[in-house]
Amino acid sequence: MAPSLAWSEDDTEDDGPSVELRKDSDTGIDSERILALQEQIDTVVLNVDMVNPWLIHEIEPGADAVLATFHTTHEAALDVIRGRFAPSGKLPFGIPADLAAVERNASDVPSYDEGYDYAYENAAGDTYAYGFGLSYE
């Protein structure tokens, strides 16, 4: 399941509705179950449909690799995972480091222009900022 975007409940009359990133009970994403499954598998490729920016800081550390897709078919994702095609895309937006980053961001400022460390950084030092992407060497 993908995280959903919802209208913020605390908008005022003079301020148009803002978009709020939601997870867990609002989206049906069970981070604990994802982590439990990752512990049972030797090699984990986390395939995330990035139609909306995810909060992946809770589930990414258990993965050996992350594949960000955009409504890609399962067959196409498996072709990349199996090495038939090299991944080539770049993130069209930054992935927030955590919920605090989402709450601090200015809704009218793109993630790459935020004045703080907005983007998620994994243990390997990869920053999931606008334009990030890896491929096979």
Side-chain angles (χ1 to χ4, degrees):
M1 302 188 122
S4 66
L5 295 173
W7 295 117
S8 180
E9 295 175 12
D10 61 350
D11 287 323
T12 63
E13 244 181 72
D14 299 332
D15 184 23
S18 60
V19 177
E20 185 175 285
L21 189 62
R22 305 258 176 143
K23 66 179 204 85
D24 297 331
S25 63
D26 294 318
T27 63
I29 296 169
D30 187 347
S31 298
E32 290 178 17
R33 175 146 168 75
I34 292 169
L35 290 173
L37 289 171
Q38 290 175 345
E39 290 176 8
Q40 299 174 30
I41 301 169
D42 291 332
T43 303
V44 175
V45 177
L46 181 63
N47 184 29
V48 181
D49 189 358
M50 291 284 186
V51 176
N52 295 323
W54 279 63
L55 292 172
I56 64 171
H57 68 285
E58 294 178 355
I59 58 174
E60 185 274 338
D64 297 292
V66 177
L67 181 62
T69 59
F70 296 85
H71 285 319
T72 305
T73 66
H74 297 294
E75 293 82 8
L78 284 171
D79 282 344
V80 170
I81 292 168
R82 292 177 177 149
R84 293 185 181 138
F85 296 96
S88 59
K90 305 289 183 188
L91 285 175
F93 46 74
I95 304 302
D98 52 27
L99 188 56
V102 173
E103 291 170 348
R104 285 181 55 194
N105 85 314
S107 61
D108 60 344
V109 175
S111 62
Y112 60 82
D113 211 18
E114 288 289 354
Y116 62 96
D117 293 331
Y118 172 83
Y120 173 73
E121 184 176 331
N122 66 15
D126 299 320
T127 302
Y128 290 47
Y130 170 80
F132 172 71
L134 298 173
S135 189
Y136 304 135
E137 296 181 305

